[in-house]
Amino acid sequence: MLVDDQVLLRTGFRMVLAAQPDMEVVAEAGDGVEALEVLRATEVDVVLMDVRMPKLDGVEATRRICEREGAPKVIILTTFDLDEYAFSALKAGAGGFMLKDVPPGELLAAIRAVHSGDAVVAPSTTRRLLDRFAPMLPGGGGAGGSGGRARPELERLTDREREVMLLVAQGLSNGEIAARLVLSEATVKTHVGRILTKLELRDRVQVVVMAYETGLVRAGGPAGPAR
């Protein structure tokens, strides 16, 4: 489903997607209100969601969509000057975000990835976004940050799981984490799955958000050992 108030942009995205044998655009909407109405009657796997729209913006629309049982995955489409909205949307439940000028190949790969249950936020984009906004989060900035005085649920993690969580929060992929910790990718994937279960999080995007909100990680790197 394409949700954007600019018809020309929706047309461009639809043309790209329609050329793929494994994708079909089944619905479109020009604002968040219309998107919610359409979703009541249309089965959708993935929603490409604009942020700034009339009537109901993409952040609130994403929040309402993700509150539903069996909700589709949401990919936020944004621009550099709207990163703060994208971060809010990630907190609201979006599975990731991409820039509107993303090359077609990357957009298609992101849609396939989120449909299969993986994260769609590229490590470099994760680092850029969170390095910019982490100082605005609790414990996120300066020497006076919380240094990882985190929520009690973080105590459920083993030392290795906390180590993996720190690397996920810094934007590393499973392959990069495996190389850093000298583990197999399968083992890293298992650790990530246990982290999600123990912290009751939906995906690795929420892992990143929690790590920054709790001060476990600050802009520029880890906040130091959490006690």
Side-chain angles (χ1 to χ4, degrees):
M1 180 178 184
L2 305 176
V3 185
D4 196 302
D5 61 329
Q6 297 185 46
V7 177
L8 186 60
L9 278 176
R10 294 208 311 267
T11 300
F13 285 132
R14 184 173 63 249
M15 291 175 63
V16 171
L17 301 178
Q20 304 305 306
D22 58 341
M23 297 184 189
E24 179 184 4
V25 177
V26 296
E28 296 184 31
D31 58 66
V33 171
E34 184 181 0
L36 293 172
E37 293 175 351
V38 171
L39 282 173
R40 291 190 182 99
T42 308
E43 185 176 347
V44 174
D45 297 312
V46 179
V47 178
L48 297 185
M49 177 77 72
D50 186 24
V51 175
R52 181 170 289 178
M53 297 180 293
K55 297 183 181 179
L56 188 68
D57 65 34
V59 173
E60 182 59 26
T62 296
R63 181 177 294 108
R64 296 186 190 183
I65 289 172
C66 293
E67 287 175 349
R68 300 179 177 183
E69 185 175 352
K73 301 294 181 64
V74 179
I75 300 176
I76 293 296
L77 296 174
T78 185
T79 55
F80 279 106
D81 60 335
L82 292 178
D83 276 351
E84 62 269 32
Y85 292 102
F87 185 82
S88 297
L90 293 178
K91 292 183 64 178
F97 74 94
M98 304 196 77
L99 302 176
K100 281 192 174 182
D101 61 356
V102 61
E106 291 185 23
L107 175 64
L108 296 172
I111 294 172
R112 293 186 177 102
V114 75
H115 180 255
S116 68
D118 293 332
V120 301
V121 184
S124 60
T125 308
T126 302
R127 284 190 286 265
R128 190 197 73 248
L129 178 71
L130 294 178
D131 283 352
R132 177 178 173 187
F133 290 101
M136 300 164 57
L137 299 173
S146 67
R149 290 196 297 273
R151 302 174 190 175
E153 54 263 39
L154 290 184
E155 298 301 321
R156 304 171 189 168
L157 303 181
T158 65
D159 289 342
R160 176 64 86 184
E161 289 165 353
R162 186 182 293 266
E163 191 173 14
V164 170
M165 181 178 180
L166 285 170
L167 295 176
V168 169
Q170 292 174 62
L172 273 66
S173 66
N174 284 354
E176 292 170 328
I177 295 173
R180 181 77 63 88
L181 299 181
V182 194
L183 300 171
S184 69
E185 283 196 48
T187 298
V188 172
K189 187 174 182 179
T190 297
H191 283 310
V192 172
R194 289 174 179 166
I195 292 167
L196 296 177
T197 299
K198 289 183 178 182
L199 300 183
E200 298 180 353
L201 301 175
R202 186 187 59 256
D203 52 39
R204 63 192 295 136
V205 173
Q206 290 192 335
V207 171
V208 175
V209 172
M210 175 178 279
Y212 275 79
E213 283 189 319
T214 59
L216 193 63
V217 172
R218 292 199 299 264
R227 303 297 183 187

